[in-house]
Amino acid sequence: MPASPVLPKLVGERVKRREDPRLIQGRGTYVDDVKLVGMRHLAFKRSDVAHGHIRSVDTSAAEAMNGVEAVFTGARIAELLGPMPIGTPFPSPPHRAVAADVVRYAGEPVAVVVASDRYTARDAADAIVVDIEPLPVVVDPERAMQGQPTVIHADFPNNLAVALVPSGTGVGADGSVDDTAIDKAFANAEVRISQRMMNQRLVPNAMEPRGVVAHFEPGKGTMTIWSSTQNPHILRTMIAAMTGLGQDQVRAIAPEVGGGFGAKINIYGEEYVAAVVSKELGVPVKWVEDRSEAFVATTHGRDIIGYVDVAATRDGKVLGLKLRLIADIGAYNMLLTAAVPTLTMLMANGTYDIPAIRTTLTEVFTNKTPTDAYRGAGRPEATYFVERAMDMLARELNMDPAELRRRNLIAADKFPYQTQMGAVYDSGDYLKALERALEAANWNGLIAERDAARQEGRLVGIGLAMYVEVCGLGPSSSLPTGGWEHSQVTIERDGRISATTGASPHGQGNETTFAQMLGDQFGVPIDHITIHHGDTGIVKQGIGTFGSRSQAVGGTALHLAGGKVKAKMAKFAAALLEAHEDDLVFENGQIGVKGAPASARSFAEVAGYAYVPVPLPPGLDPGLSEEAFFEPANNTYPFGCHITMLEIDRDTGEPRLLKVVAVDDAGHLINPMIVEGQIHGGLAQGIGQAMVEEAVYSENGQLLTGSFMDYALPRATDFPRFELHATVTPTPVNPLGAKGVGEAGTLGATPSIVNAAVDALAEFGVTHIDMMLRPEKLWRIIHGGHQ
Amino acid sequence: MIPAAFDYAPATSLDDAMLKMEGANGTGKFIAGGHSLVPLMKMRLAEPPLLIDISRLPELTGIREREGKIVIGACTVHHEVATSPLLHERCPVVAEAAATIGDPQVRNRGTIGGSVAHADPSADMPAVLLALDAEIHLKSSRGWRIVKAADFFTDLFTVNMAADEIIVSFQFTSMRTAAYAKLHQRASHYAIVGAAVGLEMGDGTITSARVGLTGAASHALRLRTLEEALVGHAPAAAAVESAVQTAGQDLDHVNADIHASAEYRRAMIPVFVRRALAAAVARA
């Protein structure tokens, strides 16, 4: 693998995001900005109750309203649209985009209105009278898995969506289970840790809610669908399949997308409904989710219980780990719902050399909004469980938590490393990241500072967490969509460069990073390059942006396509310069012969020649446009170490961050500033989960945190200055050596913060605190026995 | 988040606002910054047929000193209150409390009068008005009425004010030795518990005290037992601390929600009274 395969001119530089001027000036085009002649507006009538039989849906008053074109009940939609498919191999109950007989969570659609404007549509939805006979409601997954007090889907006894899947040491590919090694580890242990941990439910809350415009043109028989999605090509595939159209007849467009965080991977019922209603009525239709809907109708994240057991020796060597997972997936399986907790199993090894691991996974239906991917998707959960358990072990052994990690980290010379969970970690130097973080944070100084604060009676704690993530998804064996990415690079006749990518950036900055790469590859200025994405009419093929894959997979496809067209351009240049193509250099907007700069022709002149090739060099076709697919051989495994210091107010229990140090290793970086932005965002969301965010349901299935009055997001003023550092361990999986970084911040933040909080309150005998760190919860620990 | 249809009528003067309200035959609702009303409308918890906009009336905005009293127009936005040099100089507690409301967007639109009229049990400004013994000047087509803050907040979202009355201004004697402290609810930044303490000091002792409390009960109220217990003591006296420790313990009912139990809220009352008291004393 080449150490650094791209020129250093733009790559590696802090180039400002080319996307930002239009976005911060309000000049972006989002779904809600799409306006078509004759466009109608949809509004969904949603169930207020969390579980019940639909007795009747009376649409007469709504239909009688001026401006209302049609009202579709669940039964009517069922005539146009089959049950929604999922993207995982697990069995799944039928899920209708609009419920026809039973509702299973508050917010589930029961009817849809088509009207001349958005206001009328909303009023008409209010005028629909739905009579629902309530059924018992279950919101607690551990009750649900006993079948109590209700069974949500008839064919899934005890509400088990996935019933106890084992994984890890001694589990064969055929599902056979041999407990010898894990039993021996626990039998030989001198120390055991056992803890139930909750990774609470979160609401993703992208700044832009979802939205869709569907335009079926009856004359042409084609469908164009705009959607606030992370993956327009998957949308195209699914819309085609569900509407009976061919993929050639569907064009999917993701315009500006105001954040996704995993919740816009799923293809939603509202998208299918918009498509079939447009097809049925022959008019374009628009639906834009409002914030209240977004809280209940867009998938939630996390919500998984981990029962963690660790076996170790007195000198701090971990012998075995058991992780029993219970995932509350809500009322239905969505596209990737069932797969997210499997990533928690996959990453149970963490950064450690653990001889025996047994995980089991149970996924449970409850009467809540379905879950799906949320930034990190399964990996922050694994990191949290493992890193909390490691911290508990360090406390039990009275050992420096950094030293305990040192004794268990996978050594740098063991890569590629086959884990107990079946992953092959591509490359890593975990000890280096740990030592770098300890040095950057001045770990011993922090300990002294903490101890001095304690002398003053202050409750100060420090926490440390390692993480390793699985990124750069594929390969194709791991994704039903395929795990490759595609790009086409075209040198236009005027010498400018158009490139497409199947990645669909919605905040990741690929219009900048990809242009940096091409700028170096061709020696042309960045403003001569346009990156096209998010439109299946322009971008021939693609998978999309999720799982921190854009740079590692999409960037590599771009690099390969660029290499192909460069090779062809070199042939044209060689003919023009009467030189050998191997002697050419592409630099400063010119192509010339090495060592003879006076000979150089402008990039534009060579491009022009390729399109009017007189004479046509032998063996060449005209034109400069090449494409490439890139299928990675493996995932990438970025890693790092985060250190947090916080203080808890003794009187109120309020926690306050004092210091956040993050060392992240994402391999080679194309644009360190964009990488830092990604880490900042990830940290913010991880801090949010640790400290202020929690989706709370009532016993009867109502989301009590259904607005920003009750669901908190962290604010800039909640954060200390983030101290970011990097180590660089390139991946051998792709020629760029880039690993991916979109989710990293969420992995290190939560365990390092909770570890710090437990440290701050250690004097009260506490060994674990579930997130979020609600002040009252901490106050109760401090004022134990306070009644 | 789409409200039901409504009519909108901007008032051109205070008298015009009265006239429009009278003409609306009970269907009218005054709107200023809209930061309490509009969310209710968007969630369709309120569907007023007619909004009479009083936010642009010059006679309802501004902060000035008149005859020894501070006068704050009801439609003055929180940001203006929070950054008023006059308030910072003469009565910093009001500016200090306004600065803790919501976020900059809320403070740039939301008004002090709207917040007080809405009377959310966790709103900040009611506690401050109680501690300052402020007068609330109301006007309707029937004439003027002046209500003391202590007589204004009567129950959950309920105030001593008729539907056709407008709060014109808040008036109070300025007081430097007053302060506000609150426990933020991290989503809304309303007060889980908020305490405003206003003191008069003489010869190093407290000669008079008023303590306004918000967040804990169905409406903002004064802690009169505590107020009496503070008088006659130096702030550092043991009697003061022991009175503070029992602050609010005589409340019959304390609020509970997903953010804080009644027990926790009750425990937070002394904490924030103590903080506000210390800050007020520090201004002496």
Side-chain angles (χ1 to χ4, degrees):
Chain A
M1 190 210 70
S4 183
V6 280
L7 295 170
K9 212 157 53 183
L10 290 164
V11 170
E13 293 301 312
R14 304 173 67 87
V15 177
K16 283 188 182 173
R17 281 167 40 104
R18 309 166 80 202
E19 299 87 335
D20 284 347
R22 69 173 190 268
L23 295 177
I24 62 179
Q25 293 175 72
R27 292 177 180 176
T29 301
Y30 295 85
V31 169
D32 202 21
D33 297 315
V34 175
K35 295 178 176 72
L36 304 177
V37 174
M39 187 170 75
R40 312 297 204 272
H41 297 260
L42 306 184
F44 286 84
K45 175 72 175 179
R46 298 179 185 276
S47 174
D48 293 330
V49 304
H51 196 199
H53 277 294
I54 300 173
R55 281 207 200 96
S56 65
V57 180
D58 182 353
T59 61
S60 54
E63 281 167 322
M65 289 172 71
N66 218 353
V68 172
E69 198 138 325
V71 180
F72 293 83
T73 61
R76 182 82 180 84
I77 289 292
E79 294 168 13
L80 306 173
L81 191 62
M84 295 188 284
I86 64 169
T88 59
F90 297 98
S92 186
H95 181 195
R96 295 283 176 177
V98 180
D101 49 2
V102 177
V103 292
R104 296 182 173 88
Y105 66 96
E108 185 168 2
V110 291
V112 58
V113 174
V114 187
S116 54
D117 65 85
R118 200 177 170 195
Y119 296 91
T120 304
R122 178 65 179 79
D123 287 346
D126 258 13
I128 296 170
V129 181
V130 185
D131 182 12
I132 295 176
E133 178 190 354
L135 290 166
V137 170
V138 59
V139 295
D140 175 353
E142 292 185 283
R143 285 201 74 205
M145 61 194 278
Q146 310 299 326
Q148 294 300 323
T150 188
V151 172
I152 298 171
H153 296 284
D155 294 333
F156 289 77
N158 292 332
N159 297 305
L160 296 179
V162 173
L164 204 77
V165 174
S167 186
T169 316
V171 177
D174 57 353
S176 62
V177 178
D178 176 357
D179 285 335
T180 315
I182 190 77
D183 286 350
K184 195 173 140 217
F186 276 80
N188 291 342
E190 293 166 336
V191 184
R192 292 177 195 84
I193 297 293
S194 188
Q195 182 66 47
R196 177 189 190 273
M197 301 179 193
M198 181 71 214
N199 214 294
Q200 82 273 30
R201 179 173 280 251
L202 302 170
V203 181
N205 276 320
M207 194 182 289
E208 182 207 15
R210 291 183 295 126
V212 57
V213 173
H215 184 200
F216 180 73
E217 294 174 76
K220 293 200 281 185
T222 59
M223 175 86 69
T224 305
I225 185 162
W226 289 258
S227 179
S228 185
T229 181
Q230 297 176 222
N231 25 249
H233 286 88
I234 297 176
L235 176 66
R236 176 178 69 160
T237 301
M238 304 291 268
I239 291 290
M242 295 292 281
T243 57
L245 295 169
Q247 292 191 19
D248 57 313
Q249 295 169 302
V250 178
R251 177 181 178 188
I253 301 171
E256 304 290 6
V257 174
F261 309 116
K264 292 178 182 170
I265 301 171
N266 181 54
I267 311 303
Y268 285 87
E270 291 91 347
E271 290 163 295
Y272 296 130
V273 167
V276 296
V277 166
S278 176
K279 191 162 174 253
E280 180 72 6
L281 301 181
V283 295
V285 300
K286 176 192 272 190
W287 171 75
V288 174
E289 186 179 56
D290 70 33
R291 184 59 67 182
S292 296
E293 284 183 299
F295 268 95
V296 294
T298 292
T299 55
H300 291 174
R302 312 274 195 284
D303 206 347
I304 183 166
I305 300 164
Y307 285 89
V308 191
D309 290 279
V310 177
T313 64
R314 273 267 149 230
D315 61 359
K317 176 66 193 134
V318 176
L319 302 175
L321 169 73
K322 291 184 196 170
L323 182 57
R324 180 160 67 90
L325 300 169
I326 299 166
D328 176 348
I329 64 169
Y332 295 99
N333 259 316
M334 309 298 267
L335 196 67
L336 300 177
T337 302
V340 171
T342 65
L343 291 175
T344 307
M345 290 211 289
L346 180 70
M347 297 312 291
N349 240 106
T351 53
Y352 305 111
D353 191 352
I354 302 175
I357 302 180
R358 168 58 34 75
T359 63
T360 61
L361 170 62
T362 304
E363 299 188 16
V364 186
F365 291 116
T366 60
N367 294 116
K368 300 183 198 168
T369 294
T371 59
D372 204 314
Y374 173 65
R375 201 169 192 168
R379 295 94 96 196
E381 295 91 314
T383 307
Y384 180 77
F385 295 140
V386 171
E387 290 301 314
R388 274 268 56 242
M390 289 300 279
D391 229 57
M392 290 180 70
L393 178 61
R395 199 162 291 284
E396 175 69 25
L397 296 173
N398 201 21
M399 186 180 285
D400 179 349
E403 179 56 27
L404 178 69
R405 266 98 177 168
R406 271 189 206 106
R407 294 185 187 189
N408 289 283
L409 289 176
I410 298 164
D413 61 3
K414 291 211 178 164
F415 292 89
Y417 179 83
Q418 169 80 53
T419 74
Q420 298 294 328
M421 307 312 302
V424 179
Y425 291 171
D426 55 341
S427 64
D429 191 340
Y430 301 157
L431 185 61
K432 188 166 152 193
L434 171 65
E435 299 297 353
R436 182 73 188 276
L438 295 173
E439 184 197 332
N442 184 12
W443 179 251
N444 289 329
L446 285 188
I447 292 172
E449 204 179 313
R450 174 198 68 188
D451 293 346
R454 284 181 182 171
Q455 290 299 313
E456 299 167 15
R458 293 163 60 199
L459 301 173
V460 173
I462 52 178
L464 177 153
M466 299 293 301
Y467 76 85
V468 57
E469 193 183 7
V470 49
C471 289
L473 311 184
S476 289
S477 56
S478 67
L479 282 172
T481 54
W484 43 264
E485 205 42 90
H486 176 268
S487 175
Q488 177 156 20
V489 176
T490 302
I491 313 300
E492 304 288 2
R493 303 171 74 124
D494 60 359
R496 293 177 65 99
I497 301 177
S498 302
T500 70
T501 175
S504 194
H506 46 281
Q508 291 79 3
N510 298 117
E511 288 178 33
T512 306
T513 54
F514 286 8
Q516 286 178 256
M517 291 168 57
L518 292 175
D520 279 3
Q521 198 167 18
F522 290 96
V524 299
I526 194 167
D527 57 7
H528 286 194
I529 301 165
T530 299
I531 307 296
H532 299 277
H533 60 83
D535 182 346
T536 67
I538 296 171
V539 182
K540 287 183 189 168
Q541 292 297 338
I543 305 296
T545 286
F546 50 87
S548 301
R549 69 192 301 277
S550 292
Q551 187 62 53
V553 190
T556 303
L558 177 102
H559 177 70
L560 297 178
K564 283 187 187 176
V565 76
K566 186 177 179 182
K568 186 173 180 188
M569 193 173 191
K571 289 189 164 67
F572 280 107
L576 210 56
L577 292 163
E578 296 176 346
H580 193 276
E581 61 202 70
D582 294 342
D583 295 334
L584 300 179
V585 285
F586 288 60
E587 61 184 11
N588 303 323
Q590 293 181 319
I591 305 172
V593 180
K594 217 177 291 175
S599 69
R601 303 293 185 96
S602 80
F603 197 75
E605 186 185 344
V606 179
Y609 171 51
Y611 286 95
V612 189
V614 185
L616 182 65
L620 276 183
D621 299 323
L624 293 171
S625 187
E626 298 291 331
E627 60 188 291
F629 286 86
F630 174 63
E631 166 81 17
N634 186 10
N635 297 119
T636 59
Y637 292 86
F639 59 91
C641 177
H642 289 200
I643 291 173
T644 299
M645 183 179 215
L646 58 69
E647 177 163 10
I648 296 167
D649 185 313
R650 191 180 281 273
D651 294 334
T652 65
E654 290 174 288
R656 184 168 62 91
L657 292 174
L658 300 178
K659 194 175 188 70
V660 173
V661 177
V663 172
D664 295 280
D665 191 325
H668 281 309
L669 309 183
I670 309 300
N671 183 327
M673 184 167 63
I674 286 179
V675 167
E676 286 168 16
Q678 287 282 345
I679 294 169
H680 281 201
L683 283 172
Q685 283 181 304
I687 290 167
Q689 175 171 18
M691 301 183 71
V692 296
E693 295 189 45
E694 183 168 24
V696 180
Y697 275 87
S698 70
E699 283 300 306
N700 63 354
Q702 297 298 319
L703 181 62
L704 298 177
T705 50
S707 83
F708 288 128
M709 290 297 282
D710 290 302
Y711 189 93
L713 293 179
R715 301 180 178 195
T717 49
D718 295 331
F719 308 137
R721 185 172 181 83
F722 297 144
E723 299 170 39
L724 306 188
H725 303 270
T727 58
V728 177
T729 310
T731 177
V733 170
N734 63 62
L736 307 176
K739 289 197 169 192
V741 76
E743 299 157 288
T746 61
L747 277 79
T750 49
S752 70
I753 290 171
V754 176
N755 288 346
V758 171
D759 185 48
L761 300 182
E763 64 179 88
F764 304 103
V766 67
T767 55
H768 176 70
I769 307 168
D770 276 329
M771 298 183 287
M772 61 178 252
L773 298 177
R774 205 177 277 286
E776 176 168 356
K777 201 186 284 180
L778 306 184
W779 174 82
R780 283 183 183 279
I781 293 167
I782 299 164
H783 299 266
H786 191 291
Q787 290 303 320
Chain B
M1 303 301 271
I2 295 178
F6 59 88
D7 288 321
Y8 171 81
T12 55
S13 68
L14 192 50
D15 288 338
D16 180 51
M18 303 293 152
L19 220 59
K20 284 192 160 75
M21 180 57 85
E22 213 174 337
N25 284 324
T27 67
K29 179 97 183 153
F30 292 121
I31 184 168
H35 272 54
S36 300
L37 181 56
V38 171
L40 293 175
M41 291 170 64
K42 288 170 92 171
M43 292 187 186
R44 300 203 172 199
L45 298 170
E47 300 190 5
L50 170 66
L51 293 183
I52 301 165
D53 188 348
I54 55 171
S55 64
R56 286 162 209 275
L57 302 182
E59 57 261 60
L60 292 186
T61 59
I63 304 165
R64 54 203 157 261
E65 191 162 26
R66 199 167 61 201
E67 292 158 17
K69 281 189 168 182
I70 306 270
V71 179
I72 303 180
C75 289
T76 309
V77 298
H78 301 307
H79 173 75
E80 199 179 333
V81 175
T83 56
S84 158
L86 176 66
L87 289 173
H88 277 276
E89 164 71 24
R90 310 274 288 133
C91 200
V93 62
V94 188
E96 167 180 78
T100 70
I101 295 171
D103 50 45
Q105 290 90 330
V106 169
R107 293 196 290 275
N108 281 328
R109 291 289 300 171
T111 66
I112 181 171
S115 167
V116 169
H118 185 60
D120 188 293
S122 300
D124 301 290
M125 215 43 89
V128 174
L129 297 178
L130 286 164
L132 294 172
D133 198 25
E135 294 170 349
I136 295 155
H137 290 236
L138 303 162
K139 195 178 185 199
S140 71
S141 53
R142 291 167 285 120
W144 285 93
R145 217 156 60 87
I146 298 172
V147 182
K148 284 278 194 180
D151 302 321
F152 190 73
F153 306 100
T154 58
D155 207 341
L156 195 67
F157 297 108
T158 308
V159 290
N160 179 355
M161 185 177 163
D164 64 343
E165 283 183 309
I166 292 180
I167 301 176
V168 174
S169 66
F170 303 95
Q171 303 192 12
F172 46 86
T173 307
S174 64
M175 173 182 260
R176 269 204 62 82
T177 45
Y180 180 67
K182 83 193 240 195
L183 178 61
H184 286 251
Q185 196 261 65
R186 294 297 294 273
S188 66
H189 285 257
Y190 273 97
I192 289 176
V193 166
V197 173
L199 301 176
E200 283 167 33
M201 308 274 294
D203 292 337
T205 61
I206 299 168
T207 56
S208 144
R210 283 184 300 267
V211 181
L213 180 71
T214 190
S218 62
H219 60 92
L221 48 80
R222 276 175 61 179
L223 295 175
R224 294 192 188 260
T225 315
L226 172 66
E227 291 174 359
E228 286 162 23
L230 295 176
V231 173
H233 297 288
V240 167
E241 174 53 25
S242 79
V244 167
Q245 273 174 21
T246 58
Q249 305 312 297
D250 51 349
L251 292 174
D252 291 336
H253 172 82
V254 171
N255 296 335
D257 56 30
I258 57 167
H259 305 289
S261 69
E263 182 193 359
Y264 178 63
R265 269 196 173 79
R266 211 180 266 281
M268 289 305 105
I269 298 170
V271 171
F272 286 89
V273 165
R274 185 180 295 115
R275 290 180 183 183
L277 181 66
V281 170
R283 286 181 173 142

